[in-house]
Amino acid sequence: MSGKQLAEIKVSSLPKIGDKRAELFHKIGIYNLFDLLYYFPRRYEDRRFVEGLDGVTTGEQVTVFGRIISVEEVKLRRNMSLLRVVIQGNFGSCTALWFNQPFLKRSLHRGLPIAVTGKLERNLYGCEISVNDYEAGSLKNPVHVGRIVPIYSSTENLSQRFLRRIIYQCVRKHANNIRNHLPEELIRELNLMPISQAIMEIHFPRDEDSLVRARESLVYEELFLFQTGLNRIHEKVRSQGVARRPQTTLPEEFLKKLPYALTKAQQKAMTEIRNDLSSRKRMYRLLQGDVGCGKTVVALYALLYVVASGFQGALMAPTEVLAEQHFLSISKLVSGLGVNVDILTGSLGKKEKEQSLQSIKSGMTDIVVGTHALLEDDVVFNHLGLVVIDEQHRFGVQQRDLLLNKAAAPDVLVMTATPIPRSLTLTVYGDLDLTIINELPPGRKKIKTFFLPAKEKSRVYSFVRKELEAGRQVYVVCPLIQESEHFAVEAAVKRYEELCREFSGFNVGLIHGKLKIDEKEGVMDAFRRGEVDLLVATSVIEVGIDVTNASVIIIEGVERFGLSQLHQLRGRVGRGTQESYCVLVGNPNTREAIERIKIMVNCHDGFQVAEKDLALRGPGELLGIKQHGYSDFRVVDIINDLPHFLKMKKYNYLTKIDQHDLWEEINFRFPSLFNVLKI
Ligand code: ADP
Ligand code: MG
């Protein structure tokens, strides 16, 4: 049977499971037989029989097997009783103790075969075992003792013994019928087990080695299905493309006009992108590079390449400030090249919005920069050819789909500054091709990073004053208040007033999310032009703001920010050639917050920061996988099984995909994967 067929058998149809019990199973996520067979133990207990007690340390858990010699009930204090059962077997003899289970007396009698497991104590009476679990009567196929026993996560009213018994029965009855999707070659090459055996062994392992092999086999089964699915998607997606053929020299003119030389890494990225765009294959590429490495100009090149080929391009950013920033810098970079750039954000006036929409629809607009306002139904493109998505992980998968669906098969470029492990990009984005910019523009200096306790924050003022006097600019980022932008704004206003007094000889500006778009733009413009010396901001400046003359960023309430966010913020400075500083101010009082600060102070490479963040927080939070509801893996751990991921990538099973049932199984096991591109 395939997984899909197993899933058609509901738990409620199993013997001994009525509606009430079925509900308990639902509580732990088991709805059907597939769920049950793939409900793996949380841990295991070694309850194999010992041959003798001599080698067992007092206090250790031990399991023995023998016959009952005597049963004695001892009344302790009120309502308390103790059952003392002497057991003799090849191991020797011992007394098994049960507390407060007098009813057991009825089922235990002299001569009955019994196995008990529990903690061993030694005293005047000899060896005693406080029974933790037992089995009596016919012990031909013990489930709870006499083996390495699985311990499952359970829920109230669903006993470990009952759950284990049900799983045992199902495994015995059905494991043999599970269809094996693992290719023979792979089983041989990696010394795996066929899946039916692996399922049996992961629940009731013969020994430690076969447990390891069983898990690995299941990991590879899952990876095989996943990888095969990705290959199919890869093929399909890539086959839908349009070869872009520039009709003008726009892309080259643009490059000639750039005020700086491209880094090698940027050039390589552009080449890869150009190859994608000009081929019949559809581009589906992730552009990854640390903050400040110059992704924007690469993306713009891609956009112009597509524009020159007679299509429109769209760039979607996660926040209005960032969209505006992109709009301005792009407009500047393409000025004089005859390219029409428009902006579309939620806070655009009605008339302006109408104009933008009209221009996009008529095809007048070559490049539109926007926020998720681009996703709305009334945004209709004339001939959209390329979608660039900046800081991707802030968008949900569905949101991205909305944009991609605005054209037949647009090329896609996703930009991110968060270097995430390959296994994660696969699971979160599907199989994007990867371009990495691993080089910063020349002349950048390390951003010196310091920490100051909140009560000493005025100590930084004289330093700030010196920088301001030298003509540099400074950011002060106010504490992040996630629950309410209102409070965040209030706090920022207060801080702004304080700093106005403190630095009365300089121009202090304020920017936050509640400002109107033209107000924000006004403040940012003034900061860019150097008219504002010190800019107080809420975390709206987190991504993408680009002012090369800024040399100091002070981040207050540092304990409230995540590591990636801090690294992004720090990247707002160090964009010019001068020495730059990041001062972290706050009251970190958790181990994690202190750890984050240490990492920031010692670590300047975005890749390392991200890796540490991943270790600290786990992938769910880092990438918002939880919010976006992604993780179809039941066995694979997307962090720890990375080596297996990489190994699996070596095997290419494209040919096997024609089997219909395999394809069906992949769809069943990885539903989210197939939503990614609506295949
Ligand atoms: P990010 O990758 O973080 O989005 P940006 O694209 O915002 O980085 O670029 C950061 C800054 O570096 C911008 O001011 C940009 O003009 C500048 N820049 C980009 N490429 C180069 C280069 N090759 N040489 C010098 N400066 C560059
Ligand atoms: Mg950027």
Side-chain angles (χ1 to χ4, degrees):
M1 278 196 284
S2 67
K4 193 174 175 219
Q5 288 163 331
L6 288 168
E8 280 157 16
I9 304 174
K10 302 283 163 244
V11 270
S12 51
S13 70
L14 297 173
K16 292 206 203 114
I17 302 187
D19 288 350
K20 270 240 172 66
R21 275 200 169 129
E23 244 165 65
L24 294 174
F25 277 87
H26 295 173
K27 251 190 174 166
I28 54 174
I30 301 175
Y31 292 87
N32 55 53
L33 199 52
F34 178 80
D35 293 335
L36 192 72
L37 292 172
Y38 277 78
Y39 191 73
F40 300 140
R42 182 161 52 88
R43 62 184 180 89
Y44 301 85
E45 269 183 22
D46 187 351
R47 296 186 188 168
R48 285 174 288 193
F49 298 137
V50 294
E51 315 231 303
L53 295 176
D54 290 349
V56 183
T57 326
T58 301
E60 226 179 288
Q61 168 147 325
V62 66
T63 308
V64 298
F65 166 65
R67 277 176 191 278
I68 294 179
I69 300 295
S70 66
V71 179
E72 179 195 3
E73 189 185 354
V74 184
K75 295 266 186 230
L76 301 174
R77 276 166 294 144
R78 262 195 333 153
N79 297 332
M80 303 267 274
S81 77
L82 172 66
L83 207 58
R84 300 178 58 92
V85 175
V86 177
I87 301 173
Q88 198 167 60
N90 291 339
F91 72 95
S93 73
C94 73
T95 307
L97 308 177
W98 277 268
F99 289 91
N100 296 328
Q101 300 182 49
F103 48 88
L104 278 180
K105 198 171 47 178
R106 270 173 275 141
S107 55
L108 303 180
H109 54 81
R110 192 182 153 84
L112 187 73
I114 188 165
V116 299
T117 188
K119 228 196 228 171
L120 181 75
E121 295 298 339
R122 289 188 170 90
N123 56 30
L124 279 171
Y125 305 103
C127 291
E128 288 182 345
I129 294 177
S130 312
V131 178
N132 171 9
D133 212 340
Y134 78 102
E135 248 176 286
S138 161
L139 280 167
K140 255 204 234 120
N141 288 310
V143 177
H144 311 297
V145 290
R147 57 166 70 248
I148 297 178
V149 172
I151 312 287
Y152 299 95
S153 304
S154 191
T155 180
E156 212 179 329
N157 297 329
L158 184 58
S159 79
Q160 192 61 228
R161 280 173 75 97
F162 183 77
L163 181 57
R164 188 183 297 134
R165 168 77 60 188
I166 292 285
I167 292 180
Y168 181 76
Q169 284 162 353
C170 285
V171 167
R172 295 264 301 208
K173 181 149 178 233
H174 297 285
N176 265 325
N177 304 326
I178 299 178
R179 186 175 299 153
N180 181 51
H181 294 290
L182 270 174
E184 281 304 322
E185 309 99 274
L186 200 65
I187 292 184
R188 237 178 298 123
E189 193 143 345
L190 299 175
N191 188 26
L192 306 176
M193 293 171 175
I195 284 314
S196 52
Q197 194 190 342
I199 286 285
M200 211 123 61
E201 292 285 330
I202 194 117
H203 288 286
F204 296 95
R206 192 179 336 206
D207 53 36
E208 286 88 348
D209 286 347
S210 69
L211 175 57
V212 171
R213 267 182 74 208
R215 181 174 186 279
E216 227 171 82
S217 307
L218 290 162
V219 163
Y220 275 99
E221 186 208 28
E222 208 167 34
L223 287 177
F224 166 71
L225 293 171
F226 182 69
Q227 187 65 51
T228 308
L230 279 182
N231 285 347
R232 164 80 162 252
I233 291 179
H234 191 104
E235 219 183 12
K236 186 134 187 182
V237 168
R238 304 311 192 273
S239 70
Q240 301 163 327
V242 177
R244 317 284 172 195
R245 300 256 180 265
Q247 312 294 315
T248 68
T249 54
L250 176 64
E252 289 79 41
E253 279 173 58
F254 161 71
L255 293 181
K256 259 188 243 146
K257 241 182 56 122
L258 280 178
Y260 43 72
L262 293 170
T263 62
K264 278 223 171 60
Q266 283 173 318
Q267 285 171 14
K268 183 160 167 275
M270 286 180 186
T271 306
E272 285 175 2
I273 288 169
R274 189 175 54 238
N275 288 343
D276 280 359
L277 291 175
S278 58
S279 79
R280 293 279 303 277
K281 162 183 133 169
R282 179 176 175 193
M283 177 162 81
Y284 195 54
R285 189 171 283 281
L286 181 67
L287 179 62
Q288 183 176 293
D290 205 353
V291 190
C293 73
K295 295 182 290 293
T296 314
V297 64
V298 174
L300 182 52
Y301 173 78
L303 287 164
L304 293 174
Y305 195 89
V306 166
V307 168
S309 310
F311 294 87
Q312 294 170 297
L315 191 160
M316 183 162 74
T319 64
E320 296 212 340
V321 182
L322 184 54
E324 289 154 21
Q325 169 92 21
H326 275 314
F327 173 68
L328 292 173
S329 59
I330 287 177
S331 302
K332 207 165 96 191
L333 283 163
V334 302
S335 73
L337 293 174
V339 179
N340 285 323
V341 186
D342 275 302
I343 182 160
L344 192 72
T345 63
S347 56
L348 231 51
K350 207 168 170 203
K351 224 174 109 204
E352 292 160 297
K353 186 174 173 200
E354 206 40 59
Q355 264 170 8
S356 279
L357 289 177
Q358 192 49 44
S359 174
I360 294 168
K361 191 170 174 183
S362 71
M364 267 291 289
T365 302
D366 295 315
I367 296 173
V368 58
V369 180
T371 55
H372 38 263
L374 286 170
L375 304 174
E376 276 158 30
D377 283 340
D378 54 358
V379 183
V380 180
F381 286 87
N382 190 283
H383 44 283
L384 179 63
L386 170 64
V387 170
V388 178
I389 303 174
D390 194 9
E391 304 296 349
Q392 163 79 32
H393 63 266
R394 292 164 165 252
F395 295 105
V397 169
Q398 290 91 346
Q399 288 184 313
R400 177 183 54 193
D401 286 351
L402 283 175
L403 187 54
L404 300 195
N405 288 339
K406 287 187 185 283
D411 288 303
V412 180
L413 183 67
V414 174
M415 296 196 281
T416 176
T418 311
I420 45 185
R422 181 74 180 145
S423 56
L424 286 180
T425 56
L426 286 175
T427 51
V428 180
Y429 305 129
D431 200 8
L432 291 153
D433 293 314
L434 184 62
T435 293
I436 296 178
I437 302 188
N438 56 0
E439 185 183 2
L440 294 177
R444 296 273 168 85
K445 294 207 178 111
K446 233 202 235 167
I447 300 159
K448 294 197 170 149
T449 305
F450 306 97
F451 167 70
L452 264 187
K455 60 178 189 302
E456 297 172 32
K457 71 178 167 196
S458 55
R459 273 179 48 196
V460 81
Y461 290 166
S462 62
F463 167 69
V464 166
R465 188 163 286 117
K466 257 206 326 245
E467 287 292 306
L468 293 175
E469 278 162 1
R472 308 282 179 227
Q473 288 163 285
V474 175
Y475 295 104
V476 175
V477 181
C478 295
L480 182 70
I481 301 180
Q482 225 132 27
E483 305 77 53
S484 153
E485 177 68 12
H486 176 73
F487 288 130
V489 170
E490 225 168 55
V493 170
K494 199 163 145 252
R495 193 74 184 113
Y496 164 73
E497 285 163 359
E498 279 167 24
L499 291 167
C500 280
R501 283 194 294 276
E502 181 65 37
F503 296 100
S504 51
F506 297 95
N507 286 326
V508 181
L510 173 66
I511 187 167
H512 56 70
K514 282 269 168 74
L515 291 182
K516 292 219 184 66
I517 182 165
D518 46 339
E519 291 172 324
K520 270 187 271 182
E521 219 164 290
V523 178
M524 278 317 298
D525 265 348
F527 192 66
R528 252 178 240 119
R529 285 195 302 264
E531 288 158 18
V532 165
D533 304 300
L534 190 151
L535 182 63
V536 181
T538 53
S539 59
V540 292
I541 63 157
E542 184 188 335
V543 275
I545 304 297
D546 186 22
V547 176
T548 44
N549 188 46
S551 66
V552 182
I553 184 161
I554 298 169
I555 306 172
E556 306 193 336
V558 59
E559 61 277 0
R560 307 215 187 163
F561 293 94
L563 253 187
S564 308
Q565 254 179 325
L566 289 174
H567 183 68
Q568 288 271 1
L569 282 169
R570 173 166 65 180
R572 295 316 105 211
V573 298
R575 301 203 149 210
T577 49
Q578 74 277 13
E579 193 77 74
S580 297
Y581 307 88
C582 171
V583 186
L584 308 171
V585 180
N587 289 318
N589 46 20
T590 63
R591 195 191 56 80
E592 211 189 295
I594 294 168
E595 194 56 35
R596 281 200 297 264
I597 291 174
K598 275 199 202 143
I599 294 169
M600 283 296 292
V601 169
N602 296 318
C603 198
H604 294 83
D605 174 79
F607 197 85
Q608 277 175 19
V609 171
E611 270 186 343
K612 297 199 162 155
D613 201 11
L614 202 58
L616 222 53
R617 288 198 294 165
E621 253 193 275
L622 179 64
L623 297 170
I625 296 177
K626 261 188 249 152
Q627 295 97 292
H628 302 157
Y630 189 87
S631 190
D632 288 337
F633 285 113
R634 284 175 188 256
V635 197
V636 169
D637 173 334
I638 46 186
I639 304 296
N640 294 321
D641 286 324
L642 183 61
H644 297 310
F645 259 101
L646 299 178
K647 209 171 202 173
M648 192 66 226
K649 269 216 84 81
K650 279 203 329 224
Y651 298 92
N652 198 343
Y653 289 101
L654 266 181
T655 47
K656 305 229 157 55
I657 201 71
D658 294 334
Q659 300 166 17
H660 175 70
D661 50 354
L662 178 58
W663 185 240
E664 223 181 51
E665 183 72 2
I666 293 171
N667 269 287
F668 162 69
R669 299 280 283 271
F670 296 99
S672 327
L673 183 60
F674 297 92
N675 288 334
V676 169
L677 285 159
K678 299 261 160 62
I679 291 188

